Amino acid sequence: MNHPASHQPAPLASPPRTGSAPDAAGPRPATAGPAHPAKPPHPHSHPHPRPRPSARAWTAARSATLAVGALLMLVPMWLLAVNAFKSEQDIRTSPFGLPVARLSLSYLRDALSDPDFDVVRAYGITALFVVLVNVLSLVIAAPVSYVIARGRSRGHTALLLLFVAGTFVPSQVILIPVVYVLKYVGLMGTIPGFVLFETTLTLPVSVFLYSAYIRTVPPELDQAAAVDGAGRLRTFWLVIFPLMRPVVATAVILHGLSVWNDFATPQIILGPGSGLYTVTTGVYAAVGKYSTHYAVVFPNLLLAVLPALAFFVIMQRHIISGLTTGATKG
């Protein structure tokens, strides 16, 4: 008996699922939206933002302050330089003027040959004091700074703060107590007493500069020298000290100018009775009786400041390089 074939319905196609794999033909290109052309730059637009009004005002105020400061420095220098070559009448009638036809070197020649002030001898005495103070300050301050810089205890920090505090004490404040001390030890009115006091005044700045610079020197150099059998003192003078030339030059220049321009210390400690006149005390003794004779005062003042001014102008790059090297090295 023949049975009719069972009829099975055809399977329904499943609807496409979201995220199904792309077909063989490849993915369909994405429908691009309407293209917007790039907006051309505004003709008055700036690549950098304009400085704010407050920034411009600060820059103008700073420039004005520097200009006023420079003017306050240059005007006295102009008066000193110009009036040293002018006659008494020209100085009184036109102190700021420059009568080129009447300028003369005779006033400087008279100052050089003034019997009341031997300027060449004063130059020599002052230069000797500058050398002695710088040498003694270097011998004392450099090893002390090395110990402070390599130390890590609170005592080393306290010692550094003690020296730094000395920079805030004016020398005139301690001058009178020092006079009593020098009288007690028998050094009043002598070169050793003057040199010792001037050296003491340089120690705070020297220790501050040297210790800050030595801290930038790698301590591995000390360890390598110790391996070779060098002691602490030999390590400092042979390894560390040659690296300190920039900051040593800075300290020497600053201390040299300080000793050269100092007036109160040699005037009180040495005194007129010692017969030793520095540039400043010699000028004071020479122009004291001619305080209203400007044709004598201005040439002597120019002779006093001219070497220090020339020295500073020539060596100023060493001052800046020594300070910045210790601040940025390492």
Side-chain angles (χ1 to χ4, degrees):
M1 184 174 177
N2 296 330
H3 298 281
S6 59
H7 180 71
Q8 296 179 353
L12 298 176
S14 60
R17 289 177 297 176
T18 305
S20 59
D23 52 4
R28 282 190 246 170
T31 305
H36 297 283
K39 186 180 293 185
H42 195 271
H44 299 288
S45 63
H46 298 274
H48 302 288
R50 292 182 178 180
R52 294 177 299 175
S54 59
R56 292 198 299 267
W58 169 250
T59 302
R62 183 173 56 183
S63 301
T65 303
L66 292 176
V68 172
L71 192 63
L72 292 176
M73 296 292 179
L74 292 176
V75 168
M77 290 303 302
W78 172 259
L79 281 173
L80 178 61
V82 171
N83 292 327
F85 303 94
K86 293 161 60 174
S87 64
E88 183 78 17
Q89 182 179 359
D90 288 333
I91 295 174
R92 292 183 179 275
T93 57
S94 179
F96 291 94
L98 185 62
V100 179
R102 295 191 299 274
L103 296 181
S104 175
L105 292 173
S106 60
Y107 306 105
L108 282 179
R109 287 195 295 267
D110 294 340
L112 287 172
S113 59
D114 188 354
D116 296 325
F117 176 39
D118 189 351
V119 64
V120 177
R121 184 171 184 267
Y123 283 164
I125 293 175
T126 310
L128 175 64
F129 289 159
V130 168
V131 172
L132 292 177
V133 169
N134 275 298
V135 171
L136 192 58
S137 175
L138 181 62
V139 171
I140 296 174
V144 172
S145 304
Y146 176 65
V147 173
I148 292 175
R150 289 294 187 254
R152 291 294 180 265
S153 65
R154 294 183 178 178
H156 295 93
T157 304
L159 186 59
L160 177 61
L161 293 177
L162 180 64
F163 278 104
V164 172
T167 60
F168 299 96
V169 180
S171 61
Q172 293 80 6
V173 174
I174 60 176
L175 185 57
I176 300 303
V178 166
V179 168
Y180 284 99
V181 174
L182 293 178
K183 284 183 177 179
Y184 181 78
V185 297
L187 294 178
M188 187 64 185
T190 63
I191 293 179
F194 173 76
V195 171
L196 286 175
F197 180 60
E198 286 285 358
T199 303
T200 304
L201 297 179
T202 65
L203 292 181
V205 176
S206 296
V207 172
F208 175 73
L209 293 176
Y210 294 161
S211 59
Y213 189 90
I214 294 173
R215 286 181 176 177
T216 65
V217 178
E220 289 78 11
L221 297 178
D222 305 54
Q223 299 171 6
V227 171
D228 293 337
R232 294 292 299 274
L233 194 61
R234 185 179 179 187
T235 298
F236 170 71
W237 288 113
L238 297 182
V239 178
I240 305 300
F241 182 73
L243 302 177
M244 296 172 55
R245 283 179 296 179
V247 71
V248 168
T250 300
V252 167
I253 295 170
L254 293 177
H255 299 333
L257 292 175
S258 176
V259 175
W260 186 278
N261 296 323
D262 194 3
F263 170 74
T265 303
Q267 179 69 13
I268 294 178
I269 293 182
L270 294 178
S274 65
L276 298 173
Y277 291 96
T278 62
V279 171
T280 53
T281 58
V283 168
Y284 176 76
V287 304
K289 62 175 96 173
Y290 304 109
S291 58
T292 58
H293 192 186
Y294 298 121
V296 176
V297 172
F298 280 107
N300 280 280
L301 293 178
L302 182 62
L303 290 175
V305 303
L306 194 58
L309 182 62
F311 181 71
F312 177 78
V313 171
I314 296 172
M315 304 296 291
Q316 63 176 338
R317 62 185 184 90
H318 295 285
I319 300 177
I320 299 173
S321 65
L323 294 176
T324 55
T325 301
T328 59
K329 188 176 179 180

